[in-house]
Amino acid sequence: MIKGKSNSSNKQPLLVSFDGKFFDIAEFAPRHPGGEKVLQIAAGSDIGQFLGGEEELLGFIHKHSLGAYNILKRYSLDKQFKNDPLIDGQEPILFKIGELGERYWTWIHQPYDGAVRMFKSNFLEQLTRTKWWHGLHHKTPLDKDRLVFPPAAALIIVGFFYSFYRLLLPYPIFCCFGTGKLTGYIIYDLIHYYLHHGTPEANSKWHKRKIYHHNHHFKDSQSGFGISTTLWDHVFGTLGAVR
């Protein structure tokens, strides 16, 4: 068993090795897309064979993405890892994003394991962060506070469609249509939240859906768009991988 000091004073060390280096992943373990139990089983070992999909763990083989390797580097015990150059502690990044230019799409699809701050103002920042609303979800897919859409912007969009449908449809039909649309969206977001932060049983339907969605975040952002169904991925030719 590898021994060492934890990076977090509030957690017991969860140490692994890879490529001759040692990492304390105790802080990351609760956010691990594959579940904390997997990492606990791998504790004290060289995880190269698991990262590369060469050996199964809990009956499943999963080849990890470049994003996963980059996240692992953050927990190196040698403290040599350099953070995302745009994300400097708690400094707001909103007005720095424009500096990226054509590099934006590459940057946004390189997952960052941590929290980012959009505004210097605490009031404005709070408008972008709650348990159910999102900003920069593709940049911070493991952040529970950035999952779907910012409430301030959502109010404008909802207000527009409310007025549009209210004028277009008779009131009874509007009520039925609006209720169905809102209910469907809530169910969609509940599934989305579960795929990120739930722990489905290994090899179950939901486990495969979780892998499918995380492959969209960590492996190929141009495929696997479906959350609750793969129907439209079939239609538009964007079907993703399940391993």
Side-chain angles (χ1 to χ4, degrees), residues 191-215:
I191 293 174
H192 189 195
Y193 190 92
Y194 181 72
L195 294 182
H196 274 277
H197 306 295
T199 53
E201 184 179 349
N203 288 316
S204 66
K205 172 187 174 181
W206 289 111
H207 184 214
K208 292 176 181 177
R209 294 296 307 157
K210 184 180 178 81
I211 293 172
Y212 185 83
H213 184 57
H214 277 87
N215 283 342

mmCIF file with all atom_site columns, all heavy atoms in Angstrom, residues 191-215:
data_model
loop_
_atom_site.group_PDB
_atom_site.id
_atom_site.type_symbol
_atom_site.label_atom_id
_atom_site.label_alt_id
_atom_site.label_comp_id
_atom_site.label_asym_id
_atom_site.label_entity_id
_atom_site.label_seq_id
_atom_site.pdbx_PDB_ins_code
_atom_site.Cartn_x
_atom_site.Cartn_y
_atom_site.Cartn_z
_atom_site.occupancy
_atom_site.B_iso_or_equiv
_atom_site.pdbx_formal_charge
_atom_site.auth_seq_id
_atom_site.auth_comp_id
_atom_site.auth_asym_id
_atom_site.auth_atom_id
_atom_site.pdbx_PDB_model_num
ATOM 1   N N   . ILE A 1 191 ? -32.849 13.749 -15.075 1.00 0.00 ? 191 ILE A N   1
ATOM 2   C CA  . ILE A 1 191 ? -32.030 12.674 -15.651 1.00 0.00 ? 191 ILE A CA  1
ATOM 3   C C   . ILE A 1 191 ? -30.602 13.163 -15.855 1.00 0.00 ? 191 ILE A C   1
ATOM 4   O O   . ILE A 1 191 ? -29.629 12.467 -15.535 1.00 0.00 ? 191 ILE A O   1
ATOM 5   C CB  . ILE A 1 191 ? -32.637 12.190 -16.983 1.00 0.00 ? 191 ILE A CB  1
ATOM 6   C CG1 . ILE A 1 191 ? -33.977 11.499 -16.735 1.00 0.00 ? 191 ILE A CG1 1
ATOM 7   C CG2 . ILE A 1 191 ? -31.673 11.238 -17.700 1.00 0.00 ? 191 ILE A CG2 1
ATOM 8   C CD1 . ILE A 1 191 ? -34.723 11.126 -18.003 1.00 0.00 ? 191 ILE A CD1 1
ATOM 9   N N   . HIS A 1 192 ? -30.472 14.379 -16.371 1.00 0.00 ? 192 HIS A N   1
ATOM 10  C CA  . HIS A 1 192 ? -29.152 14.963 -16.604 1.00 0.00 ? 192 HIS A CA  1
ATOM 11  C C   . HIS A 1 192 ? -28.358 15.044 -15.296 1.00 0.00 ? 192 HIS A C   1
ATOM 12  O O   . HIS A 1 192 ? -27.177 14.682 -15.238 1.00 0.00 ? 192 HIS A O   1
ATOM 13  C CB  . HIS A 1 192 ? -29.318 16.357 -17.217 1.00 0.00 ? 192 HIS A CB  1
ATOM 14  C CG  . HIS A 1 192 ? -28.040 16.962 -17.700 1.00 0.00 ? 192 HIS A CG  1
ATOM 15  N ND1 . HIS A 1 192 ? -27.926 18.295 -18.002 1.00 0.00 ? 192 HIS A ND1 1
ATOM 16  C CD2 . HIS A 1 192 ? -26.810 16.426 -17.922 1.00 0.00 ? 192 HIS A CD2 1
ATOM 17  C CE1 . HIS A 1 192 ? -26.690 18.549 -18.398 1.00 0.00 ? 192 HIS A CE1 1
ATOM 18  N NE2 . HIS A 1 192 ? -25.987 17.438 -18.352 1.00 0.00 ? 192 HIS A NE2 1
ATOM 19  N N   . TYR A 1 193 ? -29.014 15.505 -14.250 1.00 0.00 ? 193 TYR A N   1
ATOM 20  C CA  . TYR A 1 193 ? -28.348 15.618 -12.949 1.00 0.00 ? 193 TYR A CA  1
ATOM 21  C C   . TYR A 1 193 ? -27.913 14.243 -12.448 1.00 0.00 ? 193 TYR A C   1
ATOM 22  O O   . TYR A 1 193 ? -26.800 14.064 -11.942 1.00 0.00 ? 193 TYR A O   1
ATOM 23  C CB  . TYR A 1 193 ? -29.290 16.277 -11.939 1.00 0.00 ? 193 TYR A CB  1
ATOM 24  C CG  . TYR A 1 193 ? -28.609 16.655 -10.641 1.00 0.00 ? 193 TYR A CG  1
ATOM 25  C CD1 . TYR A 1 193 ? -28.062 17.924 -10.475 1.00 0.00 ? 193 TYR A CD1 1
ATOM 26  C CD2 . TYR A 1 193 ? -28.514 15.751 -9.588  1.00 0.00 ? 193 TYR A CD2 1
ATOM 27  C CE1 . TYR A 1 193 ? -27.434 18.276 -9.293  1.00 0.00 ? 193 TYR A CE1 1
ATOM 28  C CE2 . TYR A 1 193 ? -27.885 16.092 -8.409  1.00 0.00 ? 193 TYR A CE2 1
ATOM 29  C CZ  . TYR A 1 193 ? -27.350 17.355 -8.261  1.00 0.00 ? 193 TYR A CZ  1
ATOM 30  O OH  . TYR A 1 193 ? -26.720 17.692 -7.091  1.00 0.00 ? 193 TYR A OH  1
ATOM 31  N N   . TYR A 1 194 ? -28.794 13.260 -12.596 1.00 0.00 ? 194 TYR A N   1
ATOM 32  C CA  . TYR A 1 194 ? -28.475 11.910 -12.121 1.00 0.00 ? 194 TYR A CA  1
ATOM 33  C C   . TYR A 1 194 ? -27.306 11.308 -12.897 1.00 0.00 ? 194 TYR A C   1
ATOM 34  O O   . TYR A 1 194 ? -26.446 10.634 -12.320 1.00 0.00 ? 194 TYR A O   1
ATOM 35  C CB  . TYR A 1 194 ? -29.704 11.011 -12.250 1.00 0.00 ? 194 TYR A CB  1
ATOM 36  C CG  . TYR A 1 194 ? -29.462 9.601  -11.761 1.00 0.00 ? 194 TYR A CG  1
ATOM 37  C CD1 . TYR A 1 194 ? -29.335 9.335  -10.403 1.00 0.00 ? 194 TYR A CD1 1
ATOM 38  C CD2 . TYR A 1 194 ? -29.342 8.539  -12.657 1.00 0.00 ? 194 TYR A CD2 1
ATOM 39  C CE1 . TYR A 1 194 ? -29.101 8.043  -9.941  1.00 0.00 ? 194 TYR A CE1 1
ATOM 40  C CE2 . TYR A 1 194 ? -29.113 7.251  -12.208 1.00 0.00 ? 194 TYR A CE2 1
ATOM 41  C CZ  . TYR A 1 194 ? -28.987 7.009  -10.847 1.00 0.00 ? 194 TYR A CZ  1
ATOM 42  O OH  . TYR A 1 194 ? -28.747 5.738  -10.402 1.00 0.00 ? 194 TYR A OH  1
ATOM 43  N N   . LEU A 1 195 ? -27.260 11.556 -14.201 1.00 0.00 ? 195 LEU A N   1
ATOM 44  C CA  . LEU A 1 195 ? -26.171 11.012 -15.007 1.00 0.00 ? 195 LEU A CA  1
ATOM 45  C C   . LEU A 1 195 ? -24.823 11.598 -14.600 1.00 0.00 ? 195 LEU A C   1
ATOM 46  O O   . LEU A 1 195 ? -23.782 10.964 -14.774 1.00 0.00 ? 195 LEU A O   1
ATOM 47  C CB  . LEU A 1 195 ? -26.424 11.275 -16.497 1.00 0.00 ? 195 LEU A CB  1
ATOM 48  C CG  . LEU A 1 195 ? -27.624 10.554 -17.116 1.00 0.00 ? 195 LEU A CG  1
ATOM 49  C CD1 . LEU A 1 195 ? -27.722 10.861 -18.603 1.00 0.00 ? 195 LEU A CD1 1
ATOM 50  C CD2 . LEU A 1 195 ? -27.537 9.046  -16.892 1.00 0.00 ? 195 LEU A CD2 1
ATOM 51  N N   . HIS A 1 196 ? -24.839 12.801 -14.050 1.00 0.00 ? 196 HIS A N   1
ATOM 52  C CA  . HIS A 1 196 ? -23.590 13.412 -13.594 1.00 0.00 ? 196 HIS A CA  1
ATOM 53  C C   . HIS A 1 196 ? -23.248 13.043 -12.159 1.00 0.00 ? 196 HIS A C   1
ATOM 54  O O   . HIS A 1 196 ? -22.085 12.796 -11.836 1.00 0.00 ? 196 HIS A O   1
ATOM 55  C CB  . HIS A 1 196 ? -23.675 14.939 -13.710 1.00 0.00 ? 196 HIS A CB  1
ATOM 56  C CG  . HIS A 1 196 ? -23.293 15.449 -15.061 1.00 0.00 ? 196 HIS A CG  1
ATOM 57  N ND1 . HIS A 1 196 ? -21.994 15.667 -15.441 1.00 0.00 ? 196 HIS A ND1 1
ATOM 58  C CD2 . HIS A 1 196 ? -24.050 15.760 -16.139 1.00 0.00 ? 196 HIS A CD2 1
ATOM 59  C CE1 . HIS A 1 196 ? -21.961 16.099 -16.689 1.00 0.00 ? 196 HIS A CE1 1
ATOM 60  N NE2 . HIS A 1 196 ? -23.196 16.164 -17.139 1.00 0.00 ? 196 HIS A NE2 1
ATOM 61  N N   . HIS A 1 197 ? -24.235 13.023 -11.287 1.00 0.00 ? 197 HIS A N   1
ATOM 62  C CA  . HIS A 1 197 ? -23.944 12.934 -9.859  1.00 0.00 ? 197 HIS A CA  1
ATOM 63  C C   . HIS A 1 197 ? -24.571 11.729 -9.161  1.00 0.00 ? 197 HIS A C   1
ATOM 64  O O   . HIS A 1 197 ? -24.384 11.547 -7.965  1.00 0.00 ? 197 HIS A O   1
ATOM 65  C CB  . HIS A 1 197 ? -24.392 14.226 -9.169  1.00 0.00 ? 197 HIS A CB  1
ATOM 66  C CG  . HIS A 1 197 ? -23.813 15.452 -9.803  1.00 0.00 ? 197 HIS A CG  1
ATOM 67  N ND1 . HIS A 1 197 ? -22.458 15.721 -9.808  1.00 0.00 ? 197 HIS A ND1 1
ATOM 68  C CD2 . HIS A 1 197 ? -24.396 16.473 -10.496 1.00 0.00 ? 197 HIS A CD2 1
ATOM 69  C CE1 . HIS A 1 197 ? -22.237 16.855 -10.452 1.00 0.00 ? 197 HIS A CE1 1
ATOM 70  N NE2 . HIS A 1 197 ? -23.387 17.323 -10.883 1.00 0.00 ? 197 HIS A NE2 1
ATOM 71  N N   . GLY A 1 198 ? -25.309 10.911 -9.901  1.00 0.00 ? 198 GLY A N   1
ATOM 72  C CA  . GLY A 1 198 ? -25.856 9.688  -9.327  1.00 0.00 ? 198 GLY A CA  1
ATOM 73  C C   . GLY A 1 198 ? -24.860 8.544  -9.422  1.00 0.00 ? 198 GLY A C   1
ATOM 74  O O   . GLY A 1 198 ? -23.835 8.633  -10.103 1.00 0.00 ? 198 GLY A O   1
ATOM 75  N N   . THR A 1 199 ? -25.161 7.445  -8.747  1.00 0.00 ? 199 THR A N   1
ATOM 76  C CA  . THR A 1 199 ? -24.285 6.268  -8.772  1.00 0.00 ? 199 THR A CA  1
ATOM 77  C C   . THR A 1 199 ? -25.096 5.030  -9.154  1.00 0.00 ? 199 THR A C   1
ATOM 78  O O   . THR A 1 199 ? -25.454 4.221  -8.290  1.00 0.00 ? 199 THR A O   1
ATOM 79  C CB  . THR A 1 199 ? -23.611 6.049  -7.404  1.00 0.00 ? 199 THR A CB  1
ATOM 80  O OG1 . THR A 1 199 ? -24.631 6.021  -6.383  1.00 0.00 ? 199 THR A OG1 1
ATOM 81  C CG2 . THR A 1 199 ? -22.626 7.155  -7.093  1.00 0.00 ? 199 THR A CG2 1
ATOM 82  N N   . PRO A 1 200 ? -25.417 4.887  -10.435 1.00 0.00 ? 200 PRO A N   1
ATOM 83  C CA  . PRO A 1 200 ? -26.192 3.717  -10.871 1.00 0.00 ? 200 PRO A CA  1
ATOM 84  C C   . PRO A 1 200 ? -25.396 2.425  -10.711 1.00 0.00 ? 200 PRO A C   1
ATOM 85  O O   . PRO A 1 200 ? -24.166 2.435  -10.679 1.00 0.00 ? 200 PRO A O   1
ATOM 86  C CB  . PRO A 1 200 ? -26.473 4.015  -12.347 1.00 0.00 ? 200 PRO A CB  1
ATOM 87  C CG  . PRO A 1 200 ? -25.387 4.952  -12.761 1.00 0.00 ? 200 PRO A CG  1
ATOM 88  C CD  . PRO A 1 200 ? -25.076 5.776  -11.557 1.00 0.00 ? 200 PRO A CD  1
ATOM 89  N N   . GLU A 1 201 ? -26.107 1.328  -10.616 1.00 0.00 ? 201 GLU A N   1
ATOM 90  C CA  . GLU A 1 201 ? -25.474 0.018  -10.471 1.00 0.00 ? 201 GLU A CA  1
ATOM 91  C C   . GLU A 1 201 ? -24.649 -0.302 -11.712 1.00 0.00 ? 201 GLU A C   1
ATOM 92  O O   . GLU A 1 201 ? -25.053 -0.012 -12.843 1.00 0.00 ? 201 GLU A O   1
ATOM 93  C CB  . GLU A 1 201 ? -26.549 -1.045 -10.269 1.00 0.00 ? 201 GLU A CB  1
ATOM 94  C CG  . GLU A 1 201 ? -26.005 -2.441 -10.014 1.00 0.00 ? 201 GLU A CG  1
ATOM 95  C CD  . GLU A 1 201 ? -27.112 -3.453 -9.801  1.00 0.00 ? 201 GLU A CD  1
ATOM 96  O OE1 . GLU A 1 201 ? -28.270 -3.030 -9.646  1.00 0.00 ? 201 GLU A OE1 1
ATOM 97  O OE2 . GLU A 1 201 ? -26.810 -4.664 -9.794  1.00 0.00 ? 201 GLU A OE2 1
ATOM 98  N N   . ALA A 1 202 ? -23.483 -0.896 -11.504 1.00 0.00 ? 202 ALA A N   1
ATOM 99  C CA  . ALA A 1 202 ? -22.577 -1.216 -12.610 1.00 0.00 ? 202 ALA A CA  1
ATOM 100 C C   . ALA A 1 202 ? -23.273 -2.058 -13.668 1.00 0.00 ? 202 ALA A C   1
ATOM 101 O O   . ALA A 1 202 ? -23.994 -3.008 -13.355 1.00 0.00 ? 202 ALA A O   1
ATOM 102 C CB  . ALA A 1 202 ? -21.347 -1.949 -12.084 1.00 0.00 ? 202 ALA A CB  1
ATOM 103 N N   . ASN A 1 203 ? -23.063 -1.680 -14.929 1.00 0.00 ? 203 ASN A N   1
ATOM 104 C CA  . ASN A 1 203 ? -23.592 -2.383 -16.102 1.00 0.00 ? 203 ASN A CA  1
ATOM 105 C C   . ASN A 1 203 ? -25.113 -2.299 -16.240 1.00 0.00 ? 203 ASN A C   1
ATOM 106 O O   . ASN A 1 203 ? -25.699 -2.981 -17.083 1.00 0.00 ? 203 ASN A O   1
ATOM 107 C CB  . ASN A 1 203 ? -23.167 -3.855 -16.114 1.00 0.00 ? 203 ASN A CB  1
ATOM 108 C CG  . ASN A 1 203 ? -21.696 -4.011 -16.441 1.00 0.00 ? 203 ASN A CG  1
ATOM 109 O OD1 . ASN A 1 203 ? -21.187 -3.365 -17.350 1.00 0.00 ? 203 ASN A OD1 1
ATOM 110 N ND2 . ASN A 1 203 ? -21.007 -4.843 -15.690 1.00 0.00 ? 203 ASN A ND2 1
ATOM 111 N N   . SER A 1 204 ? -25.760 -1.470 -15.431 1.00 0.00 ? 204 SER A N   1
ATOM 112 C CA  . SER A 1 204 ? -27.199 -1.265 -15.576 1.00 0.00 ? 204 SER A CA  1
ATOM 113 C C   . SER A 1 204 ? -27.465 -0.309 -16.739 1.00 0.00 ? 204 SER A C   1
ATOM 114 O O   . SER A 1 204 ? -26.546 0.304  -17.298 1.00 0.00 ? 204 SER A O   1
ATOM 115 C CB  . SER A 1 204 ? -27.787 -0.679 -14.293 1.00 0.00 ? 204 SER A CB  1
ATOM 116 O OG  . SER A 1 204 ? -27.276 0.630  -14.071 1.00 0.00 ? 204 SER A OG  1
ATOM 117 N N   . LYS A 1 205 ? -28.728 -0.174 -17.099 1.00 0.00 ? 205 LYS A N   1
ATOM 118 C CA  . LYS A 1 205 ? -29.107 0.748  -18.175 1.00 0.00 ? 205 LYS A CA  1
ATOM 119 C C   . LYS A 1 205 ? -28.633 2.163  -17.868 1.00 0.00 ? 205 LYS A C   1
ATOM 120 O O   . LYS A 1 205 ? -28.078 2.850  -18.732 1.00 0.00 ? 205 LYS A O   1
ATOM 121 C CB  . LYS A 1 205 ? -30.626 0.730  -18.350 1.00 0.00 ? 205 LYS A CB  1
ATOM 122 C CG  . LYS A 1 205 ? -31.146 1.801  -19.308 1.00 0.00 ? 205 LYS A CG  1
ATOM 123 C CD  . LYS A 1 205 ? -32.664 1.849  -19.321 1.00 0.00 ? 205 LYS A CD  1
ATOM 124 C CE  . LYS A 1 205 ? -33.162 3.016  -20.176 1.00 0.00 ? 205 LYS A CE  1
ATOM 125 N NZ  . LYS A 1 205 ? -34.651 3.099  -20.171 1.00 0.00 ? 205 LYS A NZ  1
ATOM 126 N N   . TRP A 1 206 ? -28.837 2.606  -16.623 1.00 0.00 ? 206 TRP A N   1
ATOM 127 C CA  . TRP A 1 206 ? -28.459 3.974  -16.269 1.00 0.00 ? 206 TRP A CA  1
ATOM 128 C C   . TRP A 1 206 ? -26.945 4.140  -16.193 1.00 0.00 ? 206 TRP A C   1
ATOM 129 O O   . TRP A 1 206 ? -26.420 5.223  -16.460 1.00 0.00 ? 206 TRP A O   1
ATOM 130 C CB  . TRP A 1 206 ? -29.117 4.372  -14.947 1.00 0.00 ? 206 TRP A CB  1
ATOM 131 C CG  . TRP A 1 206 ? -30.589 4.566  -15.090 1.00 0.00 ? 206 TRP A CG  1
ATOM 132 C CD1 . TRP A 1 206 ? -31.579 3.786  -14.570 1.00 0.00 ? 206 TRP A CD1 1
ATOM 133 C CD2 . TRP A 1 206 ? -31.246 5.595  -15.839 1.00 0.00 ? 206 TRP A CD2 1
ATOM 134 N NE1 . TRP A 1 206 ? -32.812 4.264  -14.945 1.00 0.00 ? 206 TRP A NE1 1
ATOM 135 C CE2 . TRP A 1 206 ? -32.642 5.374  -15.721 1.00 0.00 ? 206 TRP A CE2 1
ATOM 136 C CE3 . TRP A 1 206 ? -30.799 6.675  -16.596 1.00 0.00 ? 206 TRP A CE3 1
ATOM 137 C CZ2 . TRP A 1 206 ? -33.585 6.197  -16.328 1.00 0.00 ? 206 TRP A CZ2 1
ATOM 138 C CZ3 . TRP A 1 206 ? -31.738 7.504  -17.210 1.00 0.00 ? 206 TRP A CZ3 1
ATOM 139 C CH2 . TRP A 1 206 ? -33.109 7.257  -17.072 1.00 0.00 ? 206 TRP A CH2 1
ATOM 140 N N   . HIS A 1 207 ? -26.252 3.076  -15.843 1.00 0.00 ? 207 HIS A N   1
ATOM 141 C CA  . HIS A 1 207 ? -24.789 3.135  -15.842 1.00 0.00 ? 207 HIS A CA  1
ATOM 142 C C   . HIS A 1 207 ? -24.275 3.364  -17.262 1.00 0.00 ? 207 HIS A C   1
ATOM 143 O O   . HIS A 1 207 ? -23.368 4.179  -17.496 1.00 0.00 ? 207 HIS A O   1
ATOM 144 C CB  . HIS A 1 207 ? -24.223 1.831  -15.273 1.00 0.00 ? 207 HIS A CB  1
ATOM 145 C CG  . HIS A 1 207 ? -22.736 1.839  -15.133 1.00 0.00 ? 207 HIS A CG  1
ATOM 146 N ND1 . HIS A 1 207 ? -21.958 0.725  -15.304 1.00 0.00 ? 207 HIS A ND1 1
ATOM 147 C CD2 . HIS A 1 207 ? -21.868 2.848  -14.843 1.00 0.00 ? 207 HIS A CD2 1
ATOM 148 C CE1 . HIS A 1 207 ? -20.686 1.031  -15.128 1.00 0.00 ? 207 HIS A CE1 1
ATOM 149 N NE2 . HIS A 1 207 ? -20.604 2.309  -14.848 1.00 0.00 ? 207 HIS A NE2 1
ATOM 150 N N   . LYS A 1 208 ? -24.877 2.667  -18.221 1.00 0.00 ? 208 LYS A N   1
ATOM 151 C CA  . LYS A 1 208 ? -24.472 2.835  -19.618 1.00 0.00 ? 208 LYS A CA  1
ATOM 152 C C   . LYS A 1 208 ? -24.838 4.223  -20.136 1.00 0.00 ? 208 LYS A C   1
ATOM 153 O O   . LYS A 1 208 ? -24.095 4.816  -20.923 1.00 0.00 ? 208 LYS A O   1
ATOM 154 C CB  . LYS A 1 208 ? -25.114 1.744  -20.471 1.00 0.00 ? 208 LYS A CB  1
ATOM 155 C CG  . LYS A 1 208 ? -24.571 0.350  -20.158 1.00 0.00 ? 208 LYS A CG  1
ATOM 156 C CD  . LYS A 1 208 ? -25.288 -0.731 -20.939 1.00 0.00 ? 208 LYS A CD  1
ATOM 157 C CE  . LYS A 1 208 ? -24.737 -2.110 -20.578 1.00 0.00 ? 208 LYS A CE  1
ATOM 158 N NZ  . LYS A 1 208 ? -25.463 -3.199 -21.279 1.00 0.00 ? 208 LYS A NZ  1
ATOM 159 N N   . ARG A 1 209 ? -25.989 4.747  -19.676 1.00 0.00 ? 209 ARG A N   1
ATOM 160 C CA  . ARG A 1 209 ? -26.366 6.110  -20.064 1.00 0.00 ? 209 ARG A CA  1
ATOM 161 C C   . ARG A 1 209 ? -25.373 7.119  -19.486 1.00 0.00 ? 209 ARG A C   1
ATOM 162 O O   . ARG A 1 209 ? -25.028 8.112  -20.126 1.00 0.00 ? 209 ARG A O   1
ATOM 163 C CB  . ARG A 1 209 ? -27.775 6.437  -19.551 1.00 0.00 ? 209 ARG A CB  1
ATOM 164 C CG  . ARG A 1 209 ? -28.901 5.641  -20.164 1.00 0.00 ? 209 ARG A CG  1
ATOM 165 C CD  . ARG A 1 209 ? -29.055 5.894  -21.640 1.00 0.00 ? 209 ARG A CD  1
ATOM 166 N NE  . ARG A 1 209 ? -29.175 7.301  -21.951 1.00 0.00 ? 209 ARG A NE  1
ATOM 167 C CZ  . ARG A 1 209 ? -28.889 7.827  -23.135 1.00 0.00 ? 209 ARG A CZ  1
ATOM 168 N NH1 . ARG A 1 209 ? -28.445 7.057  -24.099 1.00 0.00 ? 209 ARG A NH1 1
ATOM 169 N NH2 . ARG A 1 209 ? -29.030 9.108  -23.350 1.00 0.00 ? 209 ARG A NH2 1
ATOM 170 N N   . LYS A 1 210 ? -24.927 6.853  -18.269 1.00 0.00 ? 210 LYS A N   1
ATOM 171 C CA  . LYS A 1 210 ? -23.957 7.741  -17.616 1.00 0.00 ? 210 LYS A CA  1
ATOM 172 C C   . LYS A 1 210 ? -22.638 7.751  -18.396 1.00 0.00 ? 210 LYS A C   1
ATOM 173 O O   . LYS A 1 210 ? -22.064 8.813  -18.648 1.00 0.00 ? 210 LYS A O   1
ATOM 174 C CB  . LYS A 1 210 ? -23.727 7.268  -16.176 1.00 0.00 ? 210 LYS A CB  1
ATOM 175 C CG  . LYS A 1 210 ? -22.799 8.153  -15.345 1.00 0.00 ? 210 LYS A CG  1
ATOM 176 C CD  . LYS A 1 210 ? -22.652 7.571  -13.949 1.00 0.00 ? 210 LYS A CD  1
ATOM 177 C CE  . LYS A 1 210 ? -21.696 8.409  -13.103 1.00 0.00 ? 210 LYS A CE  1
ATOM 178 N NZ  . LYS A 1 210 ? -22.349 9.595  -12.542 1.00 0.00 ? 210 LYS A NZ  1
ATOM 179 N N   . ILE A 1 211 ? -22.180 6.565  -18.784 1.00 0.00 ? 211 ILE A N   1
ATOM 180 C CA  . ILE A 1 211 ? -20.948 6.471  -19.569 1.00 0.00 ? 211 ILE A CA  1
ATOM 181 C C   . ILE A 1 211 ? -21.116 7.186  -20.907 1.00 0.00 ? 211 ILE A C   1
ATOM 182 O O   . ILE A 1 211 ? -20.235 7.940  -21.350 1.00 0.00 ? 211 ILE A O   1
ATOM 183 C CB  . ILE A 1 211 ? -20.566 4.999  -19.806 1.00 0.00 ? 211 ILE A CB  1
ATOM 184 C CG1 . ILE A 1 211 ? -20.171 4.338  -18.486 1.00 0.00 ? 211 ILE A CG1 1
ATOM 185 C CG2 . ILE A 1 211 ? -19.423 4.883  -20.814 1.00 0.00 ? 211 ILE A CG2 1
ATOM 186 C CD1 . ILE A 1 211 ? -19.977 2.849  -18.592 1.00 0.00 ? 211 ILE A CD1 1
ATOM 187 N N   . TYR A 1 212 ? -22.254 6.967  -21.542 1.00 0.00 ? 212 TYR A N   1
ATOM 188 C CA  . TYR A 1 212 ? -22.542 7.595  -22.840 1.00 0.00 ? 212 TYR A CA  1
ATOM 189 C C   . TYR A 1 212 ? -22.446 9.115  -22.732 1.00 0.00 ? 212 TYR A C   1
ATOM 190 O O   . TYR A 1 212 ? -21.820 9.776  -23.575 1.00 0.00 ? 212 TYR A O   1
ATOM 191 C CB  . TYR A 1 212 ? -23.945 7.176  -23.289 1.00 0.00 ? 212 TYR A CB  1
ATOM 192 C CG  . TYR A 1 212 ? -24.336 7.644  -24.669 1.00 0.00 ? 212 TYR A CG  1
ATOM 193 C CD1 . TYR A 1 212 ? -23.951 6.928  -25.796 1.00 0.00 ? 212 TYR A CD1 1
ATOM 194 C CD2 . TYR A 1 212 ? -25.108 8.789  -24.838 1.00 0.00 ? 212 TYR A CD2 1
ATOM 195 C CE1 . TYR A 1 212 ? -24.323 7.345  -27.069 1.00 0.00 ? 212 TYR A CE1 1
ATOM 196 C CE2 . TYR A 1 212 ? -25.480 9.212  -26.099 1.00 0.00 ? 212 TYR A CE2 1
ATOM 197 C CZ  . TYR A 1 212 ? -25.090 8.489  -27.218 1.00 0.00 ? 212 TYR A CZ  1
ATOM 198 O OH  . TYR A 1 212 ? -25.455 8.912  -28.475 1.00 0.00 ? 212 TYR A OH  1
ATOM 199 N N   . HIS A 1 213 ? -23.049 9.659  -21.680 1.00 0.00 ? 213 HIS A N   1
ATOM 200 C CA  . HIS A 1 213 ? -23.052 11.115 -21.532 1.00 0.00 ? 213 HIS A CA  1
ATOM 201 C C   . HIS A 1 213 ? -21.671 11.651 -21.160 1.00 0.00 ? 213 HIS A C   1
ATOM 202 O O   . HIS A 1 213 ? -21.246 12.700 -21.649 1.00 0.00 ? 213 HIS A O   1
ATOM 203 C CB  . HIS A 1 213 ? -24.077 11.535 -20.483 1.00 0.00 ? 213 HIS A CB  1
ATOM 204 C CG  . HIS A 1 213 ? -24.197 13.016 -20.348 1.00 0.00 ? 213 HIS A CG  1
ATOM 205 N ND1 . HIS A 1 213 ? -24.521 13.842 -21.408 1.00 0.00 ? 213 HIS A ND1 1
ATOM 206 C CD2 . HIS A 1 213 ? -24.003 13.850 -19.284 1.00 0.00 ? 213 HIS A CD2 1
ATOM 207 C CE1 . HIS A 1 213 ? -24.538 15.104 -21.010 1.00 0.00 ? 213 HIS A CE1 1
ATOM 208 N NE2 . HIS A 1 213 ? -24.217 15.139 -19.725 1.00 0.00 ? 213 HIS A NE2 1
ATOM 209 N N   . HIS A 1 214 ? -20.964 10.938 -20.294 1.00 0.00 ? 214 HIS A N   1
ATOM 210 C CA  . HIS A 1 214 ? -19.631 11.412 -19.919 1.00 0.00 ? 214 HIS A CA  1
ATOM 211 C C   . HIS A 1 214 ? -18.640 11.291 -21.074 1.00 0.00 ? 214 HIS A C   1
ATOM 212 O O   . HIS A 1 214 ? -17.680 12.071 -21.147 1.00 0.00 ? 214 HIS A O   1
ATOM 213 C CB  . HIS A 1 214 ? -19.125 10.660 -18.686 1.00 0.00 ? 214 HIS A CB  1
ATOM 214 C CG  . HIS A 1 214 ? -19.635 11.247 -17.415 1.00 0.00 ? 214 HIS A CG  1
ATOM 215 N ND1 . HIS A 1 214 ? -20.846 10.882 -16.864 1.00 0.00 ? 214 HIS A ND1 1
ATOM 216 C CD2 . HIS A 1 214 ? -19.129 12.204 -16.592 1.00 0.00 ? 214 HIS A CD2 1
ATOM 217 C CE1 . HIS A 1 214 ? -21.050 11.574 -15.758 1.00 0.00 ? 214 HIS A CE1 1
ATOM 218 N NE2 . HIS A 1 214 ? -20.032 12.380 -15.573 1.00 0.00 ? 214 HIS A NE2 1
ATOM 219 N N   . ASN A 1 215 ? -18.864 10.351 -21.970 1.00 0.00 ? 215 ASN A N   1
ATOM 220 C CA  . ASN A 1 215 ? -18.031 10.299 -23.170 1.00 0.00 ? 215 ASN A CA  1
ATOM 221 C C   . ASN A 1 215 ? -18.225 11.559 -24.011 1.00 0.00 ? 215 ASN A C   1
ATOM 222 O O   . ASN A 1 215 ? -17.294 12.042 -24.658 1.00 0.00 ? 215 ASN A O   1
ATOM 223 C CB  . ASN A 1 215 ? -18.370 9.059  -24.003 1.00 0.00 ? 215 ASN A CB  1
ATOM 224 C CG  . ASN A 1 215 ? -17.764 7.796  -23.422 1.00 0.00 ? 215 ASN A CG  1
ATOM 225 O OD1 . ASN A 1 215 ? -16.844 7.860  -22.609 1.00 0.00 ? 215 ASN A OD1 1
ATOM 226 N ND2 . ASN A 1 215 ? -18.268 6.646  -23.832 1.00 0.00 ? 215 ASN A ND2 1
#
